[in-house]
Amino acid sequence: MAVVLHILSCLLGLGSWVAINGVWVELPLLVPHTPEGWELPSYLSLLIQFANIGPLAVTLIHKFCPGRLREGPVIFVILAVGIASCVLLAFLWQETSWVGSSRRSTALLSLIFFLSLVDCTSSVTFLPYMTRLRPDYLISYFIGEGLSGLMPALLALIQGVGVVNCEPMNRTESNESYATGNLTAVYQPARFPAWGFFLFLAGMMGLCLIAFTTLHKMSKELGLQDAGKGKRRMKKDPWSKGIMQKPMMGEDETKTKVVKKETRKYSTWEKVFIYLVLAWVNALTNAVLPSVQTYSCIPYGGRIYHLAATLAAIANPVACGIAMYLPSRRLLTVGSLTVIGSSIGSYIMGMAVLSPCPPLLRDHTGGVLIVGI
């Protein structure tokens, strides 16, 4: 039973951000076929920010209408929307239409917005649902959430998206063919098309829905859905085994000291610092840097951009795993990491500003640096 619950929790976390992470790593294959071109990542960043209306709506409903919104039905709805959006993307992502005086990828952008809405809303629905279970199942959920970035990234590496070679442009004059000094970008075909990748994302979302359906059914059988009776059932509930057990003699004083040490209260200024750091880091990682990634990477070549986008998705679960097993609540550590991250972000922004002729353009060191950071 415990192994099954861990697997189900992991699969639920897998579906939390797999769709948008997948779209990010597939961008090098989408960009050459869309009217937006290399502006597409900027549009994607904006759509993700607009999709935060979902978490805002859920938060407001919980605030002003407590008890009206249940996480279970909401999760079913958002997972169904995610599956439908991925399937439609597989067949409609190349469809365009005129908006004003320019042609736009209306189907692609609209469906990406719905996927963003699904993934953003999962942050405020999946976690509250998982808090009904034992804490160790929550760890399995976070492992799955990390895999939501790793799985699409590995598939994109296998697919070989965005691999481009610069070849001389051939021209014909007086029935003679010759190569000029001009180069043209020749994109190498992927091992399988974009529609196959989107169907893979739909399959991941479908697997998440099956896992949640099973988890929800098991929770009903064990009687965990009644929050008002949760405390009375903890002692006999196999999912909460050990939580309500009386500690052994001599443990009370030790545990009390540990709890006091771990739950020290922050001052007002410390809280302000923490919130400012959260706002700054989220702005960099979720909005500013992704939107300029094309400008900072493309001058070094399509292969560099492909590696940077794919490895960034892999780095996220690795960082989450490090934070999970080596947690630190020291504000000095938080501040130091923020300074280091801001310095790296400044380098990326500098390369984007200097694009298309950044430093080390003809040197392999430039590509290695932009991928590594």
Side-chain angles (χ1 to χ4, degrees):
M1 176 69 74
V3 174
V4 173
L5 294 176
H6 279 292
I7 294 175
L8 294 176
S9 300
C10 183
L11 291 176
L12 180 61
L14 179 64
S16 58
W17 281 92
V18 69
I20 288 301
N21 287 332
V23 172
W24 271 116
V25 298
E26 192 71 359
L27 280 180
L29 186 60
L30 304 181
V31 163
H33 304 284
T34 58
E36 292 78 12
W38 290 109
E39 294 180 352
L40 187 60
S42 299
Y43 283 97
L44 180 54
S45 296
L46 287 174
L47 290 173
I48 293 175
Q49 302 310 311
F50 288 142
N52 282 311
I53 190 176
L56 179 61
V58 172
T59 302
L60 292 176
I61 293 174
H62 281 308
K63 176 68 175 179
F64 297 105
C65 302
R68 294 290 183 87
L69 193 65
R70 300 174 60 187
E71 286 85 7
V74 174
I75 294 175
F76 278 118
V77 171
I78 63 177
L79 287 177
V81 171
I83 295 172
S85 299
C86 289
V87 173
L88 291 174
L89 268 178
F91 302 102
L92 302 177
W93 72 271
Q94 286 186 296
E95 298 296 325
T96 60
S97 60
W98 288 98
V99 178
S101 59
S102 57
R103 202 162 189 85
R104 297 295 180 188
S105 305
T106 47
L108 177 65
L109 295 176
S110 300
L111 292 171
I112 285 178
F113 171 75
F114 281 106
L115 287 180
S116 303
L117 191 65
V118 167
D119 290 359
C120 290
T121 309
S122 71
S123 299
V124 293
T125 53
F126 287 14
L127 277 176
Y129 187 88
M130 289 300 301
T131 55
R132 305 178 183 188
L133 312 184
R134 274 170 38 192
D136 49 344
Y137 295 120
L138 191 60
I139 295 176
S140 299
Y141 169 84
F142 283 121
I143 293 174
E145 192 174 73
L147 292 175
S148 69
L150 180 61
M151 296 294 289
L154 292 177
L155 185 65
L157 286 175
I158 297 172
Q159 187 184 17
V161 300
V163 179
V164 60
N165 293 324
C166 291
E167 299 180 359
M169 183 185 299
N170 292 326
R171 295 181 180 178
T172 302
E173 293 182 6
S174 302
N175 297 325
E176 293 182 3
S177 178
Y178 66 96
T180 69
N182 296 325
L183 297 177
T184 181
V186 178
Y187 287 88
Q188 302 302 311
R191 293 183 178 88
F192 54 89
W195 63 263
F197 187 88
F198 288 130
L199 289 181
F200 166 80
L201 295 182
M204 291 292 96
M205 296 293 293
L207 190 62
C208 176
L209 179 60
I210 294 173
F212 176 71
T213 303
T214 307
L215 193 65
H216 193 66
K217 183 178 180 181
M218 294 176 67
S219 66
K220 282 187 174 181
E221 292 176 355
L222 294 173
L224 292 179
Q225 297 302 312
D226 190 349
K229 299 179 181 179
K231 293 183 179 179
R232 294 197 299 271
R233 287 174 175 165
M234 273 187 183
K235 291 183 180 180
K236 61 180 180 180
D237 183 10
W239 289 17
S240 303
K241 185 178 179 182
I243 293 180
M244 300 297 290
Q245 289 180 355
K246 184 178 179 180
M248 295 177 64
M249 187 175 297
E251 289 185 349
D252 289 334
E253 185 178 352
T254 304
K255 289 186 176 181
T256 302
K257 290 181 179 179
V258 173
V259 170
K260 286 183 179 179
K261 183 177 180 180
E262 292 181 351
T263 59
R264 77 171 184 86
K265 293 184 178 181
Y266 293 106
S267 66
T268 302
W269 288 110
E270 287 176 331
K271 291 179 181 178
V272 171
F273 171 76
I274 292 172
Y275 286 127
L276 288 176
V277 167
L278 284 174
W280 173 250
V281 171
N282 277 282
L284 283 179
T285 56
N286 296 327
V288 177
L289 296 182
S291 63
V292 301
Q293 188 177 34
T294 50
Y295 299 100
S296 60
C297 296
I298 281 300
Y300 298 101
R303 188 184 300 272
I304 294 298
Y305 174 75
H306 172 223
L307 287 174
T310 305
L311 294 178
I314 296 177
N316 182 54
V318 173
C320 292
I322 293 173
M324 183 182 300
Y325 291 103
L326 297 173
S328 177
R329 297 184 179 182
R330 296 181 59 191
L331 296 185
L332 180 60
T333 303
V334 174
S336 301
L337 291 175
T338 303
V339 170
I340 295 173
S342 300
S343 301
I344 294 174
S346 299
Y347 179 84
I348 296 174
M349 288 295 297
M351 297 304 101
V353 170
L354 296 174
S355 181
C357 300
L360 303 174
L361 182 60
R362 302 299 179 184
D363 195 327
H364 291 296
T365 306
V368 172
L369 278 176
I370 203 68
V371 171
I373 64 175

